[in-house]
Amino acid sequence: MPLEKPAELIRADDDHESPIIEARAAIRRLDRDDDGPTWRDLGKGLLRVMKHNDTNAKRVVVRNDVGKVVLNFAIVDTMKFIQDNKGGLKFTAVVDDGPSNYLLRTKPVLEARHLAPATLVPASN
């Protein structure tokens, strides 16, 4: 019996966008319940900051290892990314179910130029 070729993963990216940076990321969301706020682990995946070729608008897309979109939001000038002491970024993003607080940890660490026009607030010691 002949061996079959492995299936190729087809990226559903828009031809009008280019990746600025790609990095592995760990994602957590701040959930509020009866016990108080807790960070819920959303898993790890590939983070890409995409820039639209015509409008220069940026967005963040995180896909898990299977390819499912875990997080997808536009970067706007009113956003603030706050660095924590461990190299993570805390921010509020508006997604399908409304605004939520997130924590992203990436290697390499995302820089201000990747996240512009948003504001990057350095970690306070």
Side-chain angles (χ1 to χ4, degrees), residues 6-19:
E8 286 187 37
L9 179 63
I10 299 172
R11 289 169 53 166
D13 293 337
D14 188 357
D15 291 337
H16 301 288
E17 290 182 311
S18 303

Side-chain angles (χ1 to χ4, degrees), residues 7-9 16 18 24 44 58 64 73 76-77 79 83-84 86-87 94 101 110:
E8 286 187 37
L9 179 63
H16 301 288
S18 303
R24 289 282 297 163
K44 295 180 180 164
K58 292 182 183 176
N64 65 13
F73 64 92
V76 294
D77 58 352
M79 287 183 80
Q83 287 182 325
D84 67 8
K86 297 179 182 177
V94 178
N101 294 320
L110 295 176

